[in-house]
Amino acid sequence: MKSLLYSILIFIFTLNLSSQDKDMLRWAADAESGAPYVFQDPRIPTKLIGFEVDIINAISKELGIENKHFQNQWDGLIPGLKRNDYDLAINGLEITEDRKKEVAFSIPYYITFQQIVVRTDSKDIEDLNGLEDKNVGTLKGSLAERILKEHGNITVKTYDSEASSYEDLKNNRLDAVLIDEPVAKYYAGWNPALKLTGEPIGEVVYGIVMRKQDTLLQTRINTAITKLITSGKLREILEQWDMWNYMVALYLDDKTVSNIKPVKYEAFLESRKTELSFDDYVERYIGYLPILGEAAITTIVLSVLSMILAIVLGLIIALTRVYAPRPLSFLATTYIEVIRGTPLLIQLFFIYYALPSIGINMDPFSAAILGLGLNYSAYEAENYRAGLFSVPRGQMEAAVSLGMSRRQALKHIIIPQAIRLVIPPVTNDFISLLKDTSLVSVIAMAELTKRYLELSATYYDYIGTGIIVAIIYLIIGLPFVKLSKYLEKRYSLDNNTKSF
Amino acid sequence: MNSENKIVQIRNLHKYFGDSHILRGIDLDVEKGQLISIIGRSGCGKTTLLRCLNCLEILDEGTIKIDDIELSRTKDRKEFEKKVSKIRNKVGMPFINSIEENKLDQDFKLKAHKLRTKVGMLFQGLNLFPNYNVLDNIIIAPKIVQGKDVENSKLHAIKLLAKVGMEDFIDRMPNQLSGGQAQRVAIARALAMNPKVMLYDEPTSALDPELVDEVIKVMTDLNKEGMTQIVVTHSMNFAKNASDIVVFMDKGEIIEMAPPEEMFSNPKDSRTRDYLKLLAI
Ligand SMILES: Nc1ncnc2c1ncn2[C@@H]1O[C@H](COP(=O)(O)OP(=O)(O)O)[C@@H](O)[C@H]1O
Ligand SMILES: [Mg+2]
């Protein structure tokens, strides 16, 4: 039993050592951030595209090295960078004084402004003043949020993804959205229900984020960007995505007229506007299967390993709580109460972002297993305790009076009986754990729910994708429900097949 | 009678639960092969006495000697009580309350364990292990406690089951047995550890009347084979017909002990008379 736990832990920590290839651009972006930044190719969902992908590719070509994408939640990009999960992050990160205290920025690779978006039928909003007394949505932690709050008299609602803010705007839950212009253009510009309104607001400057101490990397990146500027490659990329604007022109001091076609923007519009036939939908969803399948496997592996950890650890904790001498049993009780009394999300953040400061640095996968496993172990421990209590006390006495030690009695008499009672609640817990794995996307794990959000942000298709993902969750859960039925039967008291 | 024949010797046995003095100086000798019936009002301490003999409760004062193992304690009550109540108050310890050995010193624990191997106990309720079938109920303790070979202990177990008339039920699960059958299996299970003394706590009280005789027959058979048995019972018929000695207890003391003929026809103590009169009504 203990050795099983050890092997799980060893497994977790060896995973930790994986992939630290040095001469490689290890960059992070949230694929849920959407077009035109970093998003899944509508034709090949396993492939990431976007103007930032193009920039990174151009930089790595310039430097003559490969690059590798690391998925992380947008909020988590800078914390993950500090944890050394990757070496740079590029994802519409504005260069701000606050951020500069924590990380280093490259020279800007794009400059834009904030854009007001309203419903097509809206009339009275044309500038910031028009937003007063209105419900206005924007991205969490963005410059727009600060502009809105500093202006005052505006009810600001912040979102994790622009897609949800536009959804709320369409559904009348918001009166306007203030957001970086490229987002507005790519999400609202082509949508007949929405329109862009008013003059440009503010100035938004994007830079690539790196750790402060990585000065060599900063120099290399800046040199590469400069080369992209002088060679016209940066302009080419921006023109292809139809993102060239007067601010960039001023910054790059490039007033020429270009005849580069916005091919990538047009391809994007094409993928949006065409009416899809049933066959197109089928084709699209079949295209999802590889990426969803991979995410489903991640979800299964994550759930199963965490549950094994939870079951083993839970048993140790329950036995400690019930049978160990006082200081130990008190510790076990405290553990259970603390874990059950705090949100899983905070535990995950703690393991992933706080532990590194005391030298325990885990990759997302290990951190996710550890977080889920520790969390569920508290619940399993309580299940076992209830199971142990429900075994009549005469059983222990009968075993002891036959000469068994308490340990032997537990192993052969009490625990087997408790297991029978514990199987149904443990199965329930496994099913909830399966669903709770969706929380680990906050620590950079690309599991099923995260992929769902990414895919639906790419296509604006929450319903179809949602149904598919829901079905996948159900299918994953099914074998475990069956397994539990089988175990219940096997441990039933009418079953007399087992013998020595 | 020479003392070598005495397989159980109890001297000045005291037991407290918190402030209440439950056993107040029990003296009792049992000879090899005797069947002793203990009778007395509910709550007078009969169960507690058996549990002390089996070390499910630890005596507070006195001596218990069974076969060649002697367990002795002199009173050190104050400190002991404190420890006991501490353990009792502890939340979340479902099984430990009555099995107090874990706070005793190693030497005492070892002796208690040895003593336990000398006695087999049949509890008031039905206590077969529901997760094992009849045969496994019997061989599990020999296997894991004594490390006995499974095949041999199976043969032995089947012999024991034949002795209690249960040889046709070896594959049954406990919840498929009647109360009388379960008690007979429980007796065989205790016998499998080769005890020197068998203790029974109201072995038939949980049974339907028509099942009582089959269990009693097992005990009288064992008596004929020379097994020493101590039986707490409410059945005066059993005490009268099956036992060599009847012991009457009241309020934690042994009031009177005598062969059944004498005890039932000519009780000496007024408390015994009152009790027997009460039962006669
Ligand atoms: N674990 C215990 N804790 C406290 N009091 C107990 C405990 N077990 C028994 N007693 C008390 O000791 C007395 C004797 O009980 P018991 O030996 O079961 O009596 P009997 O078996 O003769 O009916 C009763 O008053 C009972 O309430
Ligand atoms: Mg009793």
Side-chain angles (χ1 to χ4, degrees), chain A residues 215-276:
Chain A
T215 45
L216 181 64
L217 182 66
Q218 289 157 31
T219 317
R220 289 168 84 195
I221 295 291
N222 283 339
T223 314
I225 295 177
T226 311
K227 277 201 188 133
L228 295 184
I229 292 171
T230 50
S231 69
K233 178 69 185 169
L234 183 62
R235 177 160 190 181
E236 182 192 324
I237 293 172
L238 295 177
E239 293 279 5
Q240 283 174 341
W241 290 96
D242 200 21
M243 289 173 70
W244 189 254
N245 63 31
Y246 72 96
M247 288 175 150
V248 188
L250 270 176
Y251 163 59
L252 299 181
D253 198 17
D254 181 351
K255 308 211 174 73
T256 60
V257 178
S258 150
N259 55 3
I260 304 170
K261 292 259 155 13
V263 283
K264 297 194 172 170
Y265 178 57
E266 277 161 11
F268 173 80
L269 286 186
E270 201 59 36
S271 75
R272 280 312 104 148
K273 282 184 174 161
T274 42
E275 283 286 315
L276 290 185

Side-chain angles (χ1 to χ4, degrees), chain B residues 43 46-48 124 201-202 232:
Chain B
K46 306 180 297 293
T47 297
T48 307
Q124 206 158 355
D201 192 1
E202 302 188 30
V232 168

Side-chain angles (χ1 to χ4, degrees), chain A residues 270-320:
Chain A
E270 201 59 36
S271 75
R272 280 312 104 148
K273 282 184 174 161
T274 42
E275 283 286 315
L276 290 185
S277 70
F278 181 74
D279 284 353
D280 293 333
Y281 273 111
V282 171
E283 196 180 324
R284 172 194 286 182
Y285 293 144
I286 287 174
Y288 287 1
L289 291 182
I291 200 166
L292 288 180
E294 196 186 325
I297 289 169
T298 307
T299 296
I300 294 172
V301 172
L302 210 58
S303 313
V304 170
L305 289 182
S306 327
M307 198 62 193
I308 292 173
L309 182 64
I311 284 174
V312 176
L313 204 60
L315 187 58
I316 294 169
I317 293 165
L319 291 176
T320 309

